[in-house]
Amino acid sequence: MEDLQQALAEIHLIRNQVARGTQFRGYGPRCIAFTGLLALSVAYGESLWSTHVRHGLTVSVMIWLATAAISLLLSAVDTVRRARRVHVDLAEEMLQSAAEQFIPSLAVGALLTVVLLRVVPDDGWLLPGLWQIIFSLGIFASCRFLPRLMFAVGFWYLAAGLCSVIVCSGPKVFLPWTMGVPFGIGQLLVAAVLQIGVEKIPEGE
Amino acid sequence: MTALVTHSHGLTFNELKNLCALTDGNLNRHLQVLEEAKLVVTAKIADRHRRQTCCRITALGRKKYVDYLAVLTQVLNDAKAREAGDAAAKGAQGAITG
């Protein structure tokens, strides 16, 4: 019985190693592009609304947390379905690797939001920039298993995050377009890189 | 195959020889068979002014290897279940005779 257990453990180890050396193709370009368009639409809607009704930081944060939650849910469902279809036998290992790389940045972003809003709510205008910088770290962590061009998208989010901090530091307010433009264009770039990457890989890779 | 599948960028002939603990002739023969089956590809590369043979697993090779691991896992799980069943039956028989 012990020999069988050991053999199964070794196979599990090999499968994990194979998964680590395989490009992850679970992220769907269409779904990612949709989240980008959603970010642009929400920014447009919020900027129109804010010209008629003045709303505070909490409302803005809630709007964007809801947008992020919808995008995450859609992406997660699409990624799981796609990974099971594309990676078949290795799907679970590949999904686990992808989650291990990206989820820490989401968790850091969520915790930072809670702490910032509770401890220094007046500095909530920093959130768009910080979210983009943290998101860039998630992309950099995932780059190893994605098309090489994804590195450039990581730089986009990093640069956009730093620019957002600079732009928002003047009026010290949460500006809708500092969320909409970076995430809208960023997600469209991710979708484009995934689309190009997928096309370059022969079927069955 | 295990060495190649865990190194997606490929391995040189010498690296593969050391990992598999095989002789040149033996490894050559293995690679020839795998290449004929389109499971691996070999290519000559120039590295530090000397030419080396680089071996890489193909998409088909990776797929076949993962399929093989799935079958192997199934066989081992079946054997484990049978062994557990035998042990339970022996225990029950012991309790009846005792």
Side-chain angles (χ1 to χ4, degrees):
Chain A
M1 189 68 108
E2 269 181 30
D3 288 347
L4 291 174
Q5 285 285 18
Q6 196 183 340
L8 283 167
E10 280 175 17
I11 290 174
H12 182 67
L13 206 69
I14 293 170
R15 286 172 66 91
N16 280 339
Q17 280 185 322
V18 174
R20 275 185 219 131
T22 307
Q23 193 181 76
F24 185 60
R25 294 175 66 194
Y27 297 127
R30 281 184 201 168
C31 183
I32 302 282
F34 175 77
T35 61
L37 295 175
L38 181 68
L40 286 169
S41 309
V42 170
Y44 179 67
E46 196 192 343
S47 61
L48 272 185
W49 185 45
S50 62
T51 55
H52 301 295
V53 184
R54 277 186 66 85
H55 57 271
L57 173 77
T58 315
V59 176
S60 287
V61 171
M62 286 302 158
I63 288 170
W64 285 101
L65 284 182
T67 309
I70 292 166
S71 300
L72 264 175
L73 190 69
L74 285 174
S75 303
V77 171
D78 183 60
T79 302
V80 170
R81 287 175 64 181
R82 206 178 136 90
R84 288 195 175 141
R85 199 177 68 238
V86 176
H87 295 294
V88 196
D89 285 334
L90 273 182
E92 297 309 314
E93 284 85 354
M94 297 296 291
L95 283 167
Q96 195 186 331
S97 287
E100 281 170 6
Q101 289 150 24
F102 200 70
I103 285 179
S105 71
L106 294 179
V108 170
L111 292 172
L112 183 72
T113 306
V114 172
V115 171
L116 202 87
L117 290 178
R118 276 183 176 267
V119 181
V120 276
D122 291 343
D123 291 331
W125 56 270
L126 277 167
L127 279 171
L130 292 177
W131 281 337
Q132 287 145 34
I133 291 167
I134 292 167
F135 200 78
S136 78
L137 294 178
I139 290 181
F140 285 135
S142 308
C143 266
R144 206 150 55 93
F145 303 95
L146 294 172
R148 279 170 186 240
L149 265 174
M150 200 58 81
F151 214 72
V153 184
F155 273 113
W156 160 263
Y157 273 108
L158 179 61
L162 296 172
C163 287
S164 292
V165 171
I166 294 165
V167 169
C168 292
S169 64
K172 289 202 179 348
V173 288
F174 190 114
L175 299 168
W177 286 111
T178 56
M179 281 297 289
V181 171
F183 280 102
I185 294 176
Q187 291 301 84
L188 290 173
L189 285 174
V190 172
V193 169
L194 289 172
Q195 188 64 39
I196 294 164
V198 167
E199 277 173 3
K200 276 185 180 171
I201 300 167
E203 205 54 45
E205 179 83 20
Chain B
M1 286 288 276
T2 307
L4 287 174
V5 88
T6 51
H7 293 83
S8 54
H9 297 297
L11 289 167
T12 64
F13 187 87
N14 281 337
E15 285 169 337
L16 199 55
K17 193 178 79 174
N18 291 334
L19 282 169
C20 301
L22 290 170
T23 62
D24 283 12
N26 210 334
L27 180 58
N28 243 331
R29 182 68 194 129
H30 276 286
L31 286 175
Q32 204 180 334
V33 172
L34 292 171
E35 207 170 4
E36 277 167 15
K38 295 186 171 31
L39 302 181
V40 301
V41 283
T42 58
K44 295 277 183 198
I45 53 160
D47 183 34
R48 290 177 202 151
H49 311 297
R50 67 190 183 120
R51 287 173 71 78
Q52 281 192 310
T53 303
C54 182
C55 315
R56 210 166 59 84
I57 195 155
T58 62
L60 178 69
R62 182 181 292 271
K63 189 188 176 306
K64 292 270 183 196
Y65 186 81
V66 173
D67 290 349
Y68 161 73
L69 285 182
V71 173
L72 201 58
T73 307
Q74 186 62 51
V75 169
L76 288 169
N77 278 329
D78 288 350
K80 209 172 108 181
R82 187 172 291 177
E83 216 166 275
D86 285 352
K90 259 186 198 170
Q93 203 170 4
I96 292 164
T97 53

